[in-house]
Amino acid sequence: TGLTMSLHSVSLSSSVLQACISHALTSEKEEVMGLLLGSVTRSRANVTHLKVLKREDKRPDRVEVSIPQLTSASTFAEKHKCRIVGWYHSHPHITIHPSHVDVRTQKLYQMMEEEFFGLIVSVFNHDQANLGRIQVIAFQSVGLSKASKEINVIPVELSLIHIS
């Protein structure tokens, strides 16, 4: 069987959304990334924490997770009684839509954990009235073939999740 969308919605705490956007706004010239932590219940990801990651790739339009950073995020998640449920990265000055690299990266993550999802924060873009615009999209890959670039967009909800 191929990869299918296993999530129907993603709920972000307001502090996580604010942190993702703030992190994305730190660099106009290169993408930034982090990991999203929380839980998944009944096809809904509830994101309560995030772990900002240090850039490792020298190419400005690529991000990757190093093993030490992944280990640190896992330890952080255990301490907060949650798990890594997704990743986020920025698209400075480019469209919100996942690139072929994003789709391929997401596919690899989903092969290890089918509920895993990606979140893209598009920043430093302007609309027709030349007003600054920030957009957020959550997605999962569909299909196992290398040629498949299909994605499913997942509704993102802002919720006031109580964090103890």
Side-chain angles (χ1 to χ4, degrees):
T1 65
L3 292 172
T4 57
M5 185 175 87
S6 62
L7 290 180
H8 298 292
S9 67
V10 171
S11 180
L12 301 173
S13 71
S14 56
S15 60
V16 166
L17 179 60
Q18 183 179 13
C20 286
I21 292 170
S22 295
H23 188 206
L25 290 169
T26 63
S27 179
E28 261 191 272
K29 298 190 184 321
E30 57 189 16
E31 294 183 2
V32 299
M33 80 168 299
L35 294 171
L36 302 166
L37 296 87
S39 62
V40 177
T41 311
R42 293 184 295 282
S43 299
R44 176 189 180 106
N46 296 299
V47 182
T48 54
H49 298 81
L50 69 88
K51 190 79 169 150
V52 171
L53 300 181
K54 182 177 175 263
R55 286 189 51 82
E56 299 280 333
D57 200 309
K58 301 291 183 220
R59 295 169 293 178
D61 63 340
R62 297 289 188 271
V63 290
E64 63 182 36
V65 181
S66 69
I67 298 300
Q69 290 186 97
L70 184 59
T71 302
S72 172
S74 293
T75 301
F76 180 88
E78 285 178 28
K79 187 170 135 185
H80 289 87
K81 298 186 177 16
C82 59
R83 64 185 177 102
I84 300 170
V85 295
W87 66 300
Y88 74 91
H89 74 286
S90 65
H91 273 188
H93 295 289
I94 56 176
T95 179
I96 189 73
H97 304 290
S99 69
H100 69 283
V101 174
D102 297 338
V103 173
R104 188 173 59 235
T105 300
Q106 176 60 31
K107 198 176 296 189
L108 292 172
Y109 286 137
Q110 269 176 258
M111 289 170 99
M112 293 182 283
E113 175 60 61
E114 70 178 352
E115 296 168 328
F116 206 83
F117 69 94
L119 189 82
I120 297 174
V121 182
S122 176
V123 292
F124 302 112
N125 289 314
H126 297 86
D127 62 13
Q128 288 84 359
N130 205 30
L131 297 173
R133 181 172 61 182
I134 296 172
Q135 294 175 293
V136 178
I137 188 174
F139 71 100
Q140 287 188 306
S141 294
V142 177
L144 284 174
S145 78
K146 283 189 174 187
S148 175
K149 294 184 176 93
E150 187 179 351
I151 64 161
N152 277 317
V153 175
I154 306 165
V156 177
E157 304 166 5
L158 177 61
S159 64
L160 300 174
I161 300 170
H162 176 71
I163 302 170
S164 50

